DNA sequence: TTGATTGTTACCGG
DNA sequence: TCCGGTAACAATCA
């Protein structure tokens, strides 16, 4: 589930439900007892997403920092309080709803200085209005690393996950092995703009939609994609090549996305 | 029971 | 400083 759109969607939803409210915070498995005790009873001042990082800000200055990693899940439940389902690390109880966080890779309390360091470490987020895209472009244009790797490096730019990586590069006819420094500024502008548009659509529909004119109704996996996990390129009908980049699946059309000269 | 999976961090060496 | 490689970790589902 966790690509950037999932986290931004959760942040928007949870802000609406929890902002301004005093929360009761528990640790059903006991694996976050200290953090829950430290935060519980304070007022939630805001909920924000930075790339795939979700943060709940409290009036004490403390921040609850969540990163779902590959397997984490967020569930919103209505009160009265139902039993936890699965490995609920932390439960945030508001006035009408609660939020359960299952299996996050990161679940920690940060003080203001630690929170500042976190924000500094995360690259500009294509979904945030305050994102400094130049910071990402400068870094990419100097890098020998392939753009496929760079797009998944959350300290370069944040919010793009594995499926969007494949889809964005296909839509822009760019091979993932092309070095960042061999791309043009115009290429990067197109990538950024496309990524932002697709993620906005993802937030809106709670699904990964990268095909134009997506038909109504939901895909089987809440996806409507062009070549991720497909056999044929929808543009040229040629075969889709499967790659592995950083041990993650990637898909390329050899015709529409010419490989760089070796 | 097994394997795959929409992710990240730490550490080391070149 | 940057880059590649490796390992560790997380929970659920088919």
């Amino acid at each position: 589930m966790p690509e950037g759109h999932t986290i931004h969607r959760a942040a928007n939803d949870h802000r609406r439900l929890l902002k301004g409210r005093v929360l009761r915070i528990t640790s059903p498995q006991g694996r976050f007892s200290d953090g829950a005790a430290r935060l519980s009873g304070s007022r939630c001042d805001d909920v924000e997403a930075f790339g795939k990082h979700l943060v709940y800000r409290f009036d004490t200055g403390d921040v609850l920092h969540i990163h779902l990693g590959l397997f984490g899940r967020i569930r919103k439940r209505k009160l009265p309080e139902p039993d936890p389902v699965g490995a609920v690390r932390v439960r945030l109880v508001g006035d009408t709803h609660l939020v359960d966080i299952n299996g996050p890779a990161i679940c920690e309390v940060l003080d203001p200085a630690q929170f500042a360091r976190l924000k500094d470490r995360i690259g500009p987020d294509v979904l945030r209005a305050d994102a400094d895209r130049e910071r990402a472009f400068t870094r990419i244009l100097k890098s020998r690393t392939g753009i496929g790797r760079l797009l998944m490096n959350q300290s370069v730019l944040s919010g793009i996950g594995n499926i969007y990586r494949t889809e964005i590069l296909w839509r822009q006819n760019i091979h993932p092995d092309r070095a960042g420094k061999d791309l043009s500024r115009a290429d990067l502008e197109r990538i950024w703009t496309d990524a932002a548009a697709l993620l906005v659509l993802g937030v809106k529909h709670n699904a990964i939609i990268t095909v134009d004119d997506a038909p109504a109704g939901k895909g089987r996996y809440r996806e409507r994609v062009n070549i991720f996990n497909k056999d044929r390129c929808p543009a040229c009908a040629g075969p889709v090549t499967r790659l592995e980049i950083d041990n993650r699946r990637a898909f390329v059309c050899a015709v529409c996305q010419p490989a760089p000269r070796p």
Side-chain angles (χ1 to χ4, degrees):
Chain A
M1 189 79 71
E3 293 228 27
H5 71 287
T6 310
I7 308 305
H8 278 267
R9 183 176 229 278
N12 294 340
D13 198 26
H14 297 181
R15 184 182 307 115
R16 188 171 55 79
L17 292 175
L18 303 180
K19 183 173 177 176
R21 300 198 155 92
V22 172
L23 306 187
R24 185 162 57 80
I25 299 178
T26 64
S27 171
Q29 289 184 313
R31 295 182 56 186
F32 186 61
S33 301
D34 291 353
R38 178 166 157 190
L39 297 174
S40 193
S42 38
R43 190 187 69 228
C44 177
D45 279 346
D46 204 0
V47 185
E48 283 189 89
F50 297 88
K52 302 169 192 169
H53 298 255
L54 182 61
V55 303
Y56 299 81
R57 314 182 64 145
F58 292 91
D59 58 346
T60 56
D62 283 336
V63 167
L64 173 62
H65 172 213
I66 299 291
H67 193 292
L68 295 182
L70 199 48
F71 314 123
R73 293 282 185 281
I74 297 169
R75 274 196 195 86
K76 178 177 68 175
R77 318 278 301 269
K78 275 186 192 158
L79 299 187
E81 207 170 341
D83 287 336
V85 175
V88 176
R89 186 73 48 82
V90 57
R91 167 170 278 191
L92 311 170
V93 186
D95 298 343
T96 61
H97 292 74
L98 63 81
V99 169
D100 279 342
I101 309 286
N102 287 58
I106 297 171
C107 177
E108 61 186 3
V109 183
L110 303 180
D111 64 29
Q114 293 170 315
F115 180 41
R117 256 176 278 144
L118 171 71
K119 284 193 286 189
D120 201 45
R121 181 167 65 74
I122 302 171
D125 178 345
V126 294
L127 275 175
R128 286 185 70 97
D130 59 5
D132 175 11
R133 65 173 76 182
E134 281 305 318
R135 187 175 142 200
F137 292 177
T138 303
R139 184 140 168 215
I140 293 170
L141 290 170
K142 281 193 299 195
S143 177
R144 287 175 281 134
T145 301
I147 186 65
R149 295 189 74 170
L150 291 166
L151 286 187
M152 287 278 286
N153 184 338
Q154 304 292 304
S155 68
V156 174
L157 82 179
S158 63
I160 295 175
N162 198 36
I163 296 178
Y164 281 120
R165 162 172 71 181
T166 277
E167 294 291 316
I168 291 163
L169 291 175
W170 179 83
R171 286 166 59 94
Q172 300 307 325
N173 301 117
I174 293 171
H175 194 285
D177 289 341
R178 283 179 61 188
K181 65 183 178 56
D182 293 337
L183 297 178
S184 67
R185 176 163 291 271
D187 289 331
L188 300 185
E189 292 280 1
R190 284 189 291 118
I191 287 171
W192 182 281
T193 303
D194 204 28
L198 292 178
L199 282 161
V200 165
L201 204 60
V203 171
K204 180 176 173 189
H205 296 285
N206 196 22
I208 299 175
I209 299 167
T210 64
V211 296
D212 292 330
D213 306 317
K218 293 193 159 64
R220 195 149 56 106
Y221 299 105
R222 316 199 104 194
E223 293 169 11
R224 285 209 156 331
V225 298
N226 292 291
I227 68 164
F228 192 90
N229 213 10
K230 307 275 190 199
D231 296 321
R232 293 275 156 193
C233 171
C236 72
V240 169
T241 307
R242 293 170 178 249
L243 304 177
E244 217 170 76
I245 307 174
D246 292 331
N247 297 313
R248 308 297 303 283
R249 299 185 291 166
F251 301 84
V252 173
C253 171
V255 175
C256 299
Q257 298 164 271
R261 287 279 179 189

